[in-house]
Amino acid sequence: MTPGDRNPGRYGKTTLSVIVAGLIALYHLGTPDGFAPLDALHPVRLGIGFLPLFALGLVEDISKAVSVRLRMGVSLVAGMLAYTLAGVRIESLGLPVIDSIVLSLPLVGPMAALLLTLIAIAGLVHAMNIVDGLNGLLAGITLVILGVLAVVSA
């Protein structure tokens, strides 16, 4: 058997999804007062919103036969569910000049938060899917990203 015959690192998305689901369950079993700001994220609603994406990732890990178009469609649906159910929104890019241009466009302006959120979620899903095929690299990259987010948000 050569190293290319099997790909043991292909289950990164599924593993990370199970870890996140476990953390959400632990959060709801005993929520100390220090975690009160996390309630604003609506973890259960967010989990429901991303459930179709988890299911697709599980199917892809098992069958290895999910098209890019299907993944894009499901990631957009999951983004829409997260936007409507959990209130996940990217309302600006933090760049005043670009934000004013985007918000002033006639058709895009009123839907800017929705479009930015959908583009960010779909882009993240596809970026993580590319990295998922690289033998366990997804878990390490995700831990670094979560660590940076934790430091920045503190």
Side-chain angles (χ1 to χ4, degrees), residues 112-132:
L114 174 62
L115 293 174
L116 287 172
T117 303
L118 292 179
I119 289 169
I121 289 174
L124 182 64
V125 166
H126 287 278
M128 292 293 184
N129 191 60
I130 290 169
V131 175
D132 186 32

Side-chain angles (χ1 to χ4, degrees), residues 34-53:
F35 289 133
L38 291 179
D39 286 335
L41 289 175
H42 306 287
V44 172
R45 292 180 185 175
L46 192 60
I48 292 168
F50 287 122
L51 194 60
L53 204 50

Side-chain angles (χ1 to χ4, degrees), residues 15-103:
T15 304
L16 285 174
S17 297
V18 169
I19 290 170
V20 168
L23 289 173
I24 289 173
L26 284 174
Y27 170 75
H28 282 289
L29 287 176
T31 305
D33 292 335
F35 289 133
L38 291 179
D39 286 335
L41 289 175
H42 306 287
V44 172
R45 292 180 185 175
L46 192 60
I48 292 168
F50 287 122
L51 194 60
L53 204 50
F54 168 73
L56 182 72
L58 191 61
V59 167
E60 182 182 23
D61 283 345
I62 293 169
S63 71
K64 314 245 187 302
V66 173
S67 72
V68 174
R69 287 187 178 146
L70 178 62
R71 189 180 317 114
M72 175 64 90
V74 172
S75 65
L76 291 174
V77 167
M80 181 67 80
L81 287 171
Y83 184 88
T84 56
L85 293 176
V88 173
R89 287 176 172 75
I90 300 174
E91 295 178 347
S92 74
L93 296 173
L95 303 168
V97 174
I98 295 176
D99 287 340
S100 64
I101 292 170
V102 169
L103 292 174

